Amino acid sequence: MQYTLILKPSLSARRKITAKKKRLEKLYGYTGSLSNKGVHITMAYLRNSRFLDVNPIITLCGKTAPFTYEMGEVGYFEKVRKGKISYIVFLNVIPSPEMYEFHEGLIKALGDNTTEAGKFIPHITLIRKNVNENNLNEIVKFCENLKIDCKFLSTYLILGKRSSEYSRWHFEHIDFHKI
């Protein structure tokens, strides 16, 4: 079973990001998911496990008040796979202190089910395929005008599940504490 824990920005922001990703795909080939549904912020990377106890996650969400975050600048990081260097270009997310606090609680609630290592860098991936050093600066420059100037309020966490038998993800919302 595969799991993912994500947040999503507003539909209008997802549409703007998806439009930019579609233009990138025309220029550079496959970029990753091109659906509005695919635009998200990953809150935790999970191990493949046969069973995830969601009760600690539900409890945490029930104690968490809705929190805000904003979109920031375009950035990138290097990825090395099989000795080959590629780059992932992303839209930085500027988290509130409450978002960091929620992330820390989520990692504790997940315990051994998380593969978290290192600092939490919330972001929305713009392109993760076919990015080499030759076209990196060109892609970053192309994405720089992608500004989304507003705060987003997160009122729920999305838990995605997919078994090895099925190719489709099943998503459910876990609401945060109602104030």
Side-chain angles (χ1 to χ4, degrees), residues 78 85-87 130-138:
E78 190 177 281
I85 298 173
S86 65
Y87 298 90
N130 302 329
V131 180
N132 59 46
E133 195 170 1
N134 295 335
N135 57 21
L136 175 65
N137 291 330
E138 188 176 301

Side-chain angles (χ1 to χ4, degrees), residues 31-67:
T31 61
S33 172
L34 288 178
S35 162
N36 288 333
K37 294 177 182 178
V39 175
H40 66 275
I41 302 162
T42 301
M43 292 302 293
Y45 291 100
L46 303 172
R47 298 175 192 263
N48 282 346
S49 56
R50 295 176 56 89
F51 178 74
L52 175 67
D53 183 5
V54 298
N55 290 325
I57 298 166
I58 293 169
T59 300
L60 173 67
C61 290
K63 294 177 181 178
T64 300
F67 54 81

Side-chain angles (χ1 to χ4, degrees), residues 23 48 51 64 84 96 104 121 125 141 151 154-155:
R23 282 183 260 156
N48 282 346
F51 178 74
T64 300
K84 185 178 177 185
S96 62
E104 288 175 16
I121 303 172
T125 301
K141 188 171 180 101
K151 284 190 177 185
S154 286
T155 59

Side-chain angles (χ1 to χ4, degrees), residues 18-152:
T18 299
K20 182 66 77 169
K21 289 174 75 167
K22 285 180 180 179
R23 282 183 260 156
L24 283 167
E25 183 172 86
K26 285 181 182 178
L27 295 169
Y28 300 103
Y30 180 69
T31 61
S33 172
L34 288 178
S35 162
N36 288 333
K37 294 177 182 178
V39 175
H40 66 275
I41 302 162
T42 301
M43 292 302 293
Y45 291 100
L46 303 172
R47 298 175 192 263
N48 282 346
S49 56
R50 295 176 56 89
F51 178 74
L52 175 67
D53 183 5
V54 298
N55 290 325
I57 298 166
I58 293 169
T59 300
L60 173 67
C61 290
K63 294 177 181 178
T64 300
F67 54 81
T68 60
Y69 60 91
E70 297 177 58
M71 296 295 169
E73 303 293 322
V74 171
Y76 65 90
F77 57 86
E78 190 177 281
K79 184 175 184 178
V80 180
R81 179 181 267 181
K82 296 180 183 177
K84 185 178 177 185
I85 298 173
S86 65
Y87 298 90
I88 296 171
V89 180
F90 62 88
L91 184 60
N92 191 32
V93 170
I94 303 167
S96 62
E98 294 82 7
M99 185 178 189
Y100 274 123
E101 188 177 310
F102 176 70
H103 177 261
E104 288 175 16
L106 192 57
I107 298 308
K108 287 178 186 171
L110 290 168
D112 291 339
N113 284 313
T114 184
T115 61
E116 286 296 305
K119 185 180 175 185
F120 174 51
I121 303 172
H123 66 277
I124 296 174
T125 301
L126 297 174
I127 182 170
R128 66 174 177 256
K129 304 282 185 185
N130 302 329
V131 180
N132 59 46
E133 195 170 1
N134 295 335
N135 57 21
L136 175 65
N137 291 330
E138 188 176 301
I139 292 170
V140 170
K141 188 171 180 101
F142 179 80
C143 293
E144 280 178 345
N145 66 351
L146 181 61
K147 299 280 188 218
I148 302 173
D149 295 326
C150 66
K151 284 190 177 185
F152 299 94

